[in-house]
């Protein structure tokens, strides 16, 4: 893949990429995006600053747009259920991921929910209550919301572990296992590390 325009993406998403001057993919994007669009699990390693966030957000957003175009009304699950769950080791990284999602989603998709420690909980609870197709979270804050039954992960069809190696180094493996045990078995899993 030499250009993002070669991808079989929803025209509006392709236009948003062009508007934000994303034309030529980085190596990690060129290698990861096509299999992710095909629904395969991917483990990708690339240096910091090489575009890993876009490598998983483009396929995630495309899947959301495809599902929205073909989904029947009223599937029996709460609208609060995210379809994409992105776990990051730190608040700062979660905020960066959410900023990229917000910039690219335009008016195509609903706002996401950011669940992180060290910030007021009220706006985070409101984002979950409002319903968000994408949830970007740190493991500790997400587990807290899960324990209090403030979020429902039954519709999450895509799990992204961003900086997976760092999360393991920081001791998040037990939390990740508990979170993963609540997700659908047939989900797509993406692991990205530096």
């Amino acid at each position: 893949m030499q250009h993002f325009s070669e991808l079989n993406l929803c025209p509006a998403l392709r236009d948003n990429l062009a508007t934000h001057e994303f034309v030529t993919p980085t190596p990690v994007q060129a290698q990861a995006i096509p299999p992710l669009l095909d629904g395969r699990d991917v483990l990708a390693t690339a240096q910091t600053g090489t575009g890993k966030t876009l490598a998983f957000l483009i396929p995630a957003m495309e899947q959301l747009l495809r599902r929205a175009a073909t989904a029947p009304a009223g599937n029996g699950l709460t609208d609060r259920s995210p379809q994409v769950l992105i776990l990051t080791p730190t608040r700062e990284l979660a905020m960066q991921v959410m900023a990229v999602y917000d910039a690219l989603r335009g008016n195509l998709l609903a706002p996401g929910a950011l669940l992180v420690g060290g910030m007021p909980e009220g706006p985070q609870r409101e984002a979950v209550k409002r319903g968000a197709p994408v949830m970007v979270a740190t493991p500790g804050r997400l587990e807290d919301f899960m324990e209090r039954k403030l979020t429902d992960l039954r519709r999450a069809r895509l799990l992204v572990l961003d900086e997976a190696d760092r999360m393991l180094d920081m001791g998040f493996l037990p939390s990740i296992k508990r979170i993963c045990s609540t997700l659908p078995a047939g989900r797509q899993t993406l692991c990205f590390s530096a």
Side-chain angles (χ1 to χ4, degrees):
M1 176 176 70
Q2 300 296 314
H3 300 93
F4 287 116
S5 60
E6 297 171 39
L7 294 170
N8 183 22
L9 298 176
C10 154
L13 180 54
R14 198 175 314 124
D15 291 346
N16 279 2
L17 287 169
T19 297
H20 288 87
E21 299 181 0
F22 293 117
V23 177
T24 306
T26 65
V28 71
Q29 294 164 351
Q31 292 177 10
I33 292 173
L36 291 175
L37 288 172
D38 288 340
R40 292 187 287 197
D41 294 341
V42 168
L43 171 61
T45 303
Q47 291 180 327
T48 300
T50 56
K52 293 185 294 291
T53 301
L54 205 58
F56 61 75
L57 278 179
I58 290 173
M61 293 173 71
E62 178 64 18
Q63 287 181 24
L64 290 169
L65 292 167
R66 287 180 188 174
R67 280 193 206 115
T70 61
N75 62 5
L77 293 177
T78 172
D79 289 338
R80 293 184 302 248
S81 302
Q83 296 174 52
V84 175
L85 173 61
I86 303 167
L87 290 177
T88 70
T90 66
R91 174 182 64 231
E92 293 76 19
L93 181 57
M95 292 170 68
Q96 289 172 17
V97 170
M98 186 58 72
V100 175
Y101 170 74
D102 282 338
L104 281 182
R105 74 176 176 82
N107 60 2
L108 300 176
L109 294 166
L114 178 68
L115 302 185
V116 296
M119 294 179 67
E121 184 182 295
Q124 297 177 54
R125 280 199 332 253
E126 284 303 312
V128 171
K129 187 176 180 179
R130 173 182 69 237
V134 173
M135 179 179 287
V136 183
T138 53
R141 179 53 62 99
L142 178 56
E143 275 203 302
D144 174 52
F145 269 53
M146 290 169 60
E147 288 169 7
R148 293 187 289 150
K149 303 201 184 314
L150 297 175
T151 190
D152 173 4
L153 300 175
R154 294 179 296 163
R155 280 183 42 190
R157 299 287 181 251
L158 179 64
L159 169 65
V160 179
L161 301 175
D162 193 13
E163 292 198 11
D165 55 336
R166 190 167 170 204
M167 280 196 283
L168 297 179
D169 289 345
M170 293 172 71
F172 285 126
L173 182 58
S175 293
I176 292 169
K177 285 182 176 181
R178 286 188 295 269
I179 291 165
C180 288
S181 73
T182 68
L183 299 171
R187 72 182 176 273
Q188 184 180 9
T189 303
L190 294 56
C191 292
F192 283 79
S193 64

